[in-house]
């Protein structure tokens, strides 16, 4: 079998990948939306649905027993443990292949142990044994108040006796409720299982007894420093490769002594020595200065101080620097040693001192260059003790999560380790060693600083900076110094292959050992083989290459020995990737793509015992053909994690046990974090690291293997080879693989996208696992580890925080996420009768409620007298002519115009005359009123009534935006069949202007009259309608789904509406109310134009437009006029919350303590976060927390609920969002998972009756169901005048009847989903109060996976995902969920949002986002009420008019 080198592997993989028929993938697009109409099947996962289980829970003697079905939050942790404990570790190393390879059969199955089957049995059993009908996660006490299930049974019984008895709620047997449980992947019966015998503990050769072996490392230094002072110890090189200094053993000894003396005697604070023996000291030295580091290290040891070597911090925001600071703080470090040059390079504060880095303790910096050191006193001698169990030094290590820990190594371990290395590597006195590794930690420290001194060796230290300039430098130095040993990493071998020009003159014949420190990496074997191929002709003998394995905790674990040191011949294993992912070793053939070729890392260290244990849970010994974690017991391992007792016990004091549970030894073992097995000849094979382990659907994959596969897809053209990071993130209770690489600047977007697509296919075919997210970032932007390479945990952190700023992203959630709950299957139609029966049996109320009875509240004569508003105005003009009805304020807060009863009456008369004489209109003609908000609008409205015409209020076009606003005006005028337009001179000019002609056909306008200068003529007689059912006005509005609908309001309905509002808000002529609303439709129009005339109160009118120039005008008016009742819209509230938060000078003069009720006029679910933040912000100005509430109205009835001045405060309930998706209402506690707060939409108005009906069967529903709100009231509109484009659909909106129960009453369907709940509060009549909760518009709901989603819930989650998301809107497009987000930040953040949006929607809603569209702020259209126009947005998206920053199609 020939082991191929890396390059062959690249081409082979490509050949085999090319054989895959490439799926057509839509390219993401930047600033140009490319809509790819490929078949939807490629995106949407197949429906693997089955009937869902009923939710249930067991109950015994007043106690509630949680069963796995209850809520998956209880199950999750246990389940995860079961799954993870399932198979043992997988992991991987170099991937090798052979031409003509075929992909292994993909078996994408999860591995779960028998425990999962037990779990499934348990579940089924628990469900079978349930008495039907106990609510799952919450038990309701007698009157429906939820009680946490942890309440003790005694209290529970007491509560139950205190409450009114109520029949226990029976399960709604007629609708199968669905408790969502994520799919648990069942283990594949054919998955490989380990079959070998249990392994035994492996014993290394004994440590040889050497007669003159020093009693400690310091004793060795003293010996060489005094007997061989001229012997070279260390040669340092500059970046050109020139030797700049050679440190002799004499110099090292004398300078270490000086430093030890200075540290102990010359550093004082307040006349006390700064340091005492055992204190920790930071060593901060650059990689280019090994000499100073060595002096500092041994100086500390001589002073009995504990050195903590760390990297040089370059900026305040270095990757991982904060964690290093945490380590220094926990070690109690107060002093840092460094060099003069290094100290000058550190960032300084203005005082000239070194800045305190983020998260670091305050440090004193001490420069150890010669001039700063004191000569030791004659009588001072350090104590060179024998090696003890005291800590010698602390080596730092960064974990997978990014936390940094310090590993303590004792003097005895340090000595034993040097002894073991000397024996394993056959080191002899005065040998020369070339070291390319970082000398501060790991093998670079062990060989180049510690063992070298033990054996008086000469070390040539190659700095990283030199390697970057000249990758061949280490080989040239081996040749120049005739070095016998070189310590390198695979990277250094790979780099030297690239510098071929200068390879001719070198010879490696002097080497007896080439130690490959990262021999456990998957690509080390290909580097070793390729290196040997090239350099064998330069004197390199094959047996010289010695891979080794090490870990920060256990130090060196294994080293391959050359034959002269008694090593067996090297081994190589070709393993099946698929079996490795199940933790099983199966030898395969190299012809396959999906194999892993690993080399041995030699034999275990002298004096050590080694075993392989299961990765998770109890450390059971593995079988011979099973991958596990390698554990070491020897005198040469680390002792502990400094200051962390808990994880120390777990890692440093593991007791491996046999399958029978018998400990294999009385000595504790240290876990190495290396995954592997012991092969033939007792050779150790490492197939991965615990830090790179990713467990996806129960199968284990190694990050390094996935990197190796990505590298095989000819990356050189598109990405940088050494700059690829692979890690996993947890989304929806499973690991998801993320691959991030740096893109070359010259790679086009098309090229990169092709490369990404090929990587996905390669990983899928070789590892049989999907990549969740693949991101390319611009060159040089990934956080770097200190010596090259990528800082993985920092990269992961940035990915999760949305701070990675990729330039290309590909998400594939459709293929990766296989554990979504099954789609809900619609039940066979349940008839309305069985619904009612079911509710009765279950003891549920039918959901219906009504406001107070109008007839009992008011004198009916007055109601008859006030039947026509025109009569009312006339009567007021006669009885109270000078009573002020309207005050219109401008942006300065001053009165721009006003109208008393008589003024309004006279202006209305003039308008009526103009209509009849100038306009030559007939009774019943329609008139469009196109006015800015003001008194003119009100006067012309009454003028129309006086003349017997039908008014339609229309928002005027925006002069700066005619192209979009004028067509709406034109459409309303045409659809309403208006015979005439009344407006101002300025708007009249605008309607006929050249600019208008570009937007609409201006020749087809009806008669346009301006009402600015009307003659003072008296009207002959005011028109009196023949019956109150005649049409009074038309109310036109665009719904949130983009439908223009006009409703007919009769005179009877108009006066009934005014009467209801008057009663609810207690409006009288002596009252003042402030209105900051648009006056064109709905309740805004009624409050602005109708109510004051009906009730006689004074309305202070604040046009919302004025807030744009002075945001405080509305609240200032409320304060100035001491208004008790005020109305506004959500957009006004939002402007105040955002705009006034900072303007403290304006706020000083505002006092809102007068406000009893502030109502937000809305046709949507109450925006609870906005109302709460408004209340909170203005609380200090006297606004009562109880004052803010919302109203609810819709097209069929503009005012159904309105808080008013009396009655209980609005209530808030928390419902389970998951139940809501199934049209069920389940109340939960505040803060419980998946809870959604809903605020009551005000009180039901007098005369209004509400019922909740099933959207399809039209039968009445119980109060635990979500259904459509139907309303019956005297002020219902009488019908649509026209619904533009959708006439047939809405025929039954105003004349619906229930299909069962009360089939006589005529109802209007609101088109909104909601539910009713009886509360504990009492209303004015002493009855218990029924609260109506609006959940959302039926037209806007999204039907996905068989469930009903409300866009606002998904949007709320998305907006929380990242600080730069200003707004969001969602809609569906061919079964795909499309999420549009407005980016309020720099465009480089745009692609960060793709993954965050996908994650949050998956986590919180169990939905896969199909398309993420990132746009500029202000693109999502919003109507005058502040509601999102999602259907307009959808049309814009489909017509490619959004000009997006980026469009990502999730594969």
């Amino acid at each position: 079998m020939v082991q191929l080198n890396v390059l062959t592997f690249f081409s082979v993989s490509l050949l085999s990948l090319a054989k895959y028929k490439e799926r057509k993938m839509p390219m993401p697009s930047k600033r140009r939306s490319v809509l790819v109409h490929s078949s939807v099947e490629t995106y949407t996962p197949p429906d693997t649905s089955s009937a869902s289980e009923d939710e249930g829970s067991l109950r015994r003697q007043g106690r509630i027993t949680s069963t796995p079905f209850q809520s998956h939050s209880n199950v999750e942790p246990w389940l995860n443990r079961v799954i993870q404990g399932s198979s043992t570790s997988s992991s991987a190393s170099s991937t090798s292949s052979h031409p003509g390879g075929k992909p292994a059969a993909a078996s994408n199955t999860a591995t779960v142990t028998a425990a999962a089957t037990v779990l499934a049995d348990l579940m089924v059993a628990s469900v079978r044994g349930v008495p039907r009908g106990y609510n799952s996660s919450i038990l309701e006490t007698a009157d429906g108040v939820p009680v946490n299930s942890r309440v003790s049974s005694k209290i529970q019984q007491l509560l139950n006796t205190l409450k009114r008895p109520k029949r226990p709620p029976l399960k709604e047997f007629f609708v199968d409720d669905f408790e969502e449980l994520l799919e648990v992947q069942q283990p594949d019966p054919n998955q490989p299982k380990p079959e070998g015998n249990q392994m035994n503990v492996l014993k290394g050769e004994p440590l040889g007894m050497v007669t003159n072996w020093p009693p400690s490392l310091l004793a060795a230094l003293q010996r060489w420093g005094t007997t061989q002072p001229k012997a070279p110890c260390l040669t340092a090189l500059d970046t050109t490769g020139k030797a700049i200094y050679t440190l002799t053993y004499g110099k090292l000894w004398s300078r270490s002594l000086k430093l030890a003396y200075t540290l102990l005697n010359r550093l004082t604070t307040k006349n006390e020595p700064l340091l005492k023996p055992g204190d920790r000291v930071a060593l901060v030295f650059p990689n280019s200065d090994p000499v100073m580091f060595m002096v500092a290290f041994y100086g500390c040891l001589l002073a009995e101080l504990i050195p903590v070597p760390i990297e040089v911090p370059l900026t305040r925001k270095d990757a991982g620097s904060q964690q290093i600071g945490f380590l220094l703080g926990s070690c109690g470090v107060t002093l840092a040693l460094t060099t003069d040059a290094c100290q000058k390079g550190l960032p300084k504060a203005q005082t000239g001192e070194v800045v305190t880095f983020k998260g670091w303790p305050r440090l004193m910096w001490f420069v150890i260059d010669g001039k700063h050191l004191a000569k030791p006193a004659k009588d001072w001698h350090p104590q060179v003790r024998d090696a003890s169990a005291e800590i010698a030094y602390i080596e730092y290590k960064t974990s997978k999560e990014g936390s940094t820990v310090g590993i303590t190594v004792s003097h005895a371990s340090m000595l034993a380790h040097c002894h073991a290395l000397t024996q394993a590597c056959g080191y002899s006195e005065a040998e020369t060693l070339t070291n390319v590794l970082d000398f501060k930690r790991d093998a670079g420290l062990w060989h180049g600083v510690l063992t070298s001194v033990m054996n008086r060796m000469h070390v040539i230290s190659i700095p990283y900076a030199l390697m970057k300039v000249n990758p061949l430098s280490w080989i040239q130095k081996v040749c120049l110094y005739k070095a016998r040993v070189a310590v390198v990493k695979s990277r250094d071998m790979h780099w030297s292959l690239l510098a071929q020009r200068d390879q001719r003159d070198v010879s490696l014949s002097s080497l007896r050992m080439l130690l490959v420190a990262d021999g456990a990496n998957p690509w080390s074997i290909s580097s070793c083989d390729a290196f040997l191929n090239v350099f064998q002709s330069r004197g390199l003998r094959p047996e010289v290459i010695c891979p080794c394995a090490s870990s920060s905790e256990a130090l060196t674990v294994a080293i391959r020995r050359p034959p002269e040191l008694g090593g067996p011949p090297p081994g190589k294993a070709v393993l099946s990737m698929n079996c490795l992912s199940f933790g099983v070793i199966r030898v395969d053939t190299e012809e396959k793509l999906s194999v892993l070729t690993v080399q041995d890392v030699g034999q275990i260290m002298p004096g050590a015992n080694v075993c392989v244990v299961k990765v998770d849970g109890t450390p059971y010994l593995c079988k011979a053909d099973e991958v596990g974690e390698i554990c070491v017991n020897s005198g040469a391992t680390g002792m502990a994690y400094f200051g962390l007792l808990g994880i120390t016990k777990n890692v440093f004091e593991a007791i491996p046990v046999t399958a029978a549970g018998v400990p294999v030894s009385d000595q504790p073992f240290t876990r190495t974090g290396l995954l592997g097995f012991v092969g033939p000849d007792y050779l150790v094979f490492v197939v991965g690291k615990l830090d790179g382990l990713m467990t996806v659907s129960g199968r284990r994959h190694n990050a390094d293997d996935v990197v190796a596969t990505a590298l095989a897809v000819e990356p050189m053209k598109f990405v940088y080879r050494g700059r690829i990071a692979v890690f996993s993130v947890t989304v929806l209770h499973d690991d998801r693989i993320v691959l991030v690489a740096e893109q070359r600047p010259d790679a086009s977007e098309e090229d990169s996208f092709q490369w990404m697509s090929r990587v996905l296919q390669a990983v899928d075919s070789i590892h049989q696992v999907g990549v969740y997210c693949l991101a390319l970032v611009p060159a040089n932007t990934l956080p770097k580890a200190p010596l090259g390479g990528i800082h993985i945990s920092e990269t992961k952190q940035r990915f999760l925080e949305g701070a990675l700023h990729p330039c290309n992203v590909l998400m594939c959630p459709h293929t990766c996420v296989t554990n979504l709950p099954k789609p809900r299957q619609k039940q066979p139609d349940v008839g309305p009768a069985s619904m009612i029966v079911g509710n009765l049996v279950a003891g549920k109320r039918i959901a219906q409620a009504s406001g107070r009875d109008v007839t009992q509240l008011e004198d009916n004569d007055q109601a008859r007298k006030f039947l026509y508003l025109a009569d009312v105005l006339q009567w007021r003009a006669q009885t109270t002519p000078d009573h002020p009805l309207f005050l219109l304020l401008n942006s300065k807060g001053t009165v721009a115009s006003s109208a008393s009863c008589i003024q309004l009456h006279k202006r209305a008369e003039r308008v009526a005359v103009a209509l009849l004489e100038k306009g030559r209109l007939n009774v019943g003609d329609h008139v469009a009123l196109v006015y800015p908000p003001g008194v003119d609008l009100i006067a012309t409205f009454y003028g129309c009534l006086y003349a017997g015409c039908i008014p339609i209020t229309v928002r005027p076009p925006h002069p700066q935006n005619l192209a979009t606003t004028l067509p709406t005006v034109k459409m309303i005028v045409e659809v309403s069949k208006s015979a005439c337009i009344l407006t101002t001179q300025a708007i009249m000019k605008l309607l006929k202007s050249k600019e208008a002609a570009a937007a609409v056909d201006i020749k087809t306008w009806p008669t346009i009259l301006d009402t600015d200068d009307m003659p003072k003529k008296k009207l002959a007689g005011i028109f009196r309608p023949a019956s109150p059912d005649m049409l009074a006005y038309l109310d036109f509005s665009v719904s949130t789904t983009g439908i223009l609908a006009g409703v007919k309001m009769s005179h009877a309905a108009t006066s009934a509406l005014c009467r209801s509002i008057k009663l609810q808000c207690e409006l009288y002529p002596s009252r003042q109310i402030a209105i900051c609303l648009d006056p064109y439709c709905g309740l805004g129009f009624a409050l602005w134009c109708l109510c004051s005339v009906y009730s006689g109160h004074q309305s202070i009118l604040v046009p919302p437009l004025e807030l744009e120039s002075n945001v405080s005008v509305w609240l200032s008016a409320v304060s100035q006029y001491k208004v008790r009742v005020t109305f506004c819209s959500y957009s006004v509230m939002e402007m105040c919350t955002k705009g006034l938060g900072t303007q403290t000078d304006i706020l000083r003069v505002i006092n809102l303590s007068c406000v009893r009720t502030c109502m937000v006029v809305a046709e949507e679910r109450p925006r609870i976060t906005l109302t709460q933040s408004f209340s909170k912000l203005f609380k200090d100005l006297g606004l009562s927390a109880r004052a803010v509430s919302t109203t609810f109205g819709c097209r069929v009835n503009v005012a159904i609920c309105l808080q008013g001045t009396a009655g209980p405060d609005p209530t808030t309930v928390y419902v389970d969002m998951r139940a809501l998706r199934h049209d069920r209402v389940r109340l939960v506690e505040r803060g419980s998972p998946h809870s959604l707060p809903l605020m009551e939409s005000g009180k039901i108005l007098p005369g209004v009756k509400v019922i909740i009906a099933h959207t399809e069967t039209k039968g009445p529903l119980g109060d635990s169901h979500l259904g459509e709100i139907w309303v019956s009231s005297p002020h219902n509109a009488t019908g649509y005048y026209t619904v533009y484009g959708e006439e047939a659909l809405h025929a039954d909106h105003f004349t619906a009847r229930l299909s069962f129960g009360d089939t006589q009453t005529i109802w209007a369907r609101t088109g909104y989903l909601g539910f009713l709940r009886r509360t504990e509060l009492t209303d004015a009549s002493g009855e218990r109060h029924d609260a109506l909760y609006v959940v959302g518009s039926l037209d806007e709901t999204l039907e996905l996976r068989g469930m009903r989603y409300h866009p606002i819930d998904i949007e709320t989650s998305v907006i929380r995902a990242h600080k730069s998301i200003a707004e969001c809107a969602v809609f569906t497009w061919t079964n795909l969920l499309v999420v549009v987000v407005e980016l309020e930040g720099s465009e480089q953040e745009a692609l960060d949002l793709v993954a965050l949006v996908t994650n949050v929607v998956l986590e919180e809603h169990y939905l896969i986002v199909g398309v993420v569209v990132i746009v500029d702020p202000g693109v999502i259209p919003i109507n005058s009420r502040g509601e999102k126009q999602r259907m307009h947005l959808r049309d814009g998206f489909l017509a490619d008019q959004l000009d997006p920053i980026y469009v990502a199609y999730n594969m």
Side-chain angles (χ1 to χ4, degrees), residues 435-456:
N435 178 29
V436 190
L437 306 187
D438 179 8
F439 48 74
K440 294 192 279 296
R441 52 200 296 258
D442 218 64
L445 174 70
W446 306 332
H447 291 266
V449 175
L450 306 178
T451 311
S452 59
V453 167
M454 178 64 83
N455 295 291
R456 193 171 69 78

Side-chain angles (χ1 to χ4, degrees), residues 254-483:
S254 63
R255 286 168 71 176
S256 303
L257 276 178
K258 264 186 178 175
L259 176 60
Y261 177 76
T262 309
L263 289 176
L264 290 178
N265 299 290
R266 291 302 167 91
L267 296 181
T268 55
T269 53
K270 298 180 185 148
N271 298 330
E272 288 284 311
L274 180 70
L275 299 166
K276 51 187 188 303
D279 281 355
R280 274 76 54 199
V281 175
L283 268 49
V284 185
F285 293 88
N287 180 259
S288 54
D289 202 342
V291 172
M292 291 300 234
F293 173 80
M294 211 155 171
V295 170
F297 191 87
Y298 282 105
C300 285
L301 293 187
L302 279 169
E304 296 186 23
L305 299 169
I306 299 170
V308 185
I310 58 167
E311 307 307 331
V312 178
L314 301 173
T315 65
R316 296 200 64 168
K317 289 187 182 160
D318 279 2
S321 160
Q322 199 169 348
Q323 292 293 335
I324 292 280
F326 178 73
L327 172 70
L328 296 179
S330 62
C331 289
V333 173
T334 53
L335 178 74
L337 305 184
T338 187
T339 64
D340 199 30
C342 180
Q343 202 261 0
K344 285 191 173 117
L346 292 172
K348 306 287 189 301
Q350 270 146 358
T351 55
E353 291 178 14
V354 177
V355 296
T356 299
F357 296 97
K358 192 175 174 192
W360 284 39
R362 278 193 72 81
L363 293 181
M364 187 176 136
W365 293 81
F366 182 65
V367 173
I368 66 158
D369 297 50
K371 58 176 184 278
H372 299 282
L373 301 184
K375 201 168 179 198
K378 288 268 187 337
D379 55 349
W380 184 82
H381 296 290
Q383 289 182 310
V384 178
R385 304 176 190 219
D386 289 359
S388 67
E390 297 295 311
I391 300 175
Y393 68 94
I394 294 176
E395 181 172 320
Y396 82 87
K397 167 200 165 164
T398 303
S399 75
K400 183 180 181 177
E401 283 72 43
S403 56
T404 299
V405 290
I407 291 155
T408 59
V409 179
S410 68
H411 286 274
S413 296
M414 183 165 71
L415 182 71
H417 191 219
C418 291
H419 191 165
L421 284 177
T422 303
Q423 186 170 327
C425 301
Y427 285 138
S428 57
E429 220 173 287
E431 264 190 319
T432 306
L433 175 147
T434 311
N435 178 29
V436 190
L437 306 187
D438 179 8
F439 48 74
K440 294 192 279 296
R441 52 200 296 258
D442 218 64
L445 174 70
W446 306 332
H447 291 266
V449 175
L450 306 178
T451 311
S452 59
V453 167
M454 178 64 83
N455 295 291
R456 193 171 69 78
M457 292 161 67
H458 179 198
V459 176
I460 317 298
S461 189
I462 316 275
Y464 177 63
L466 170 59
M467 284 294 290
K468 275 166 72 173
V469 180
N470 174 11
L472 216 63
S473 53
W474 71 271
I475 296 179
Q476 291 160 348
K477 296 304 165 205
V478 166
C479 181
L480 175 67
Y481 287 95
K482 300 280 178 289

Side-chain angles (χ1 to χ4, degrees), residues 798-809:
R798 287 190 193 175
F799 173 79
L800 290 172
E801 286 170 0
L804 204 54
H805 308 330
C807 49
N808 257 317
V809 153

Side-chain angles (χ1 to χ4, degrees), residues 21 165 304 364 433 444 453 572 584 633 643 663 715 735 786 934 945 999 1016 1059 1124 1156 1229 1233 1293 1298:
K21 189 157 153 271
E304 296 186 23
M364 187 176 136
L433 175 147
V453 167
K572 185 173 86 170
V584 179
N633 155 250
D735 278 4
L945 295 189
K1016 292 187 177 177
R1059 179 164 59 154
R1124 293 174 65 178
R1156 271 181 64 183
E1229 292 288 350
H1293 270 203
L1298 289 173

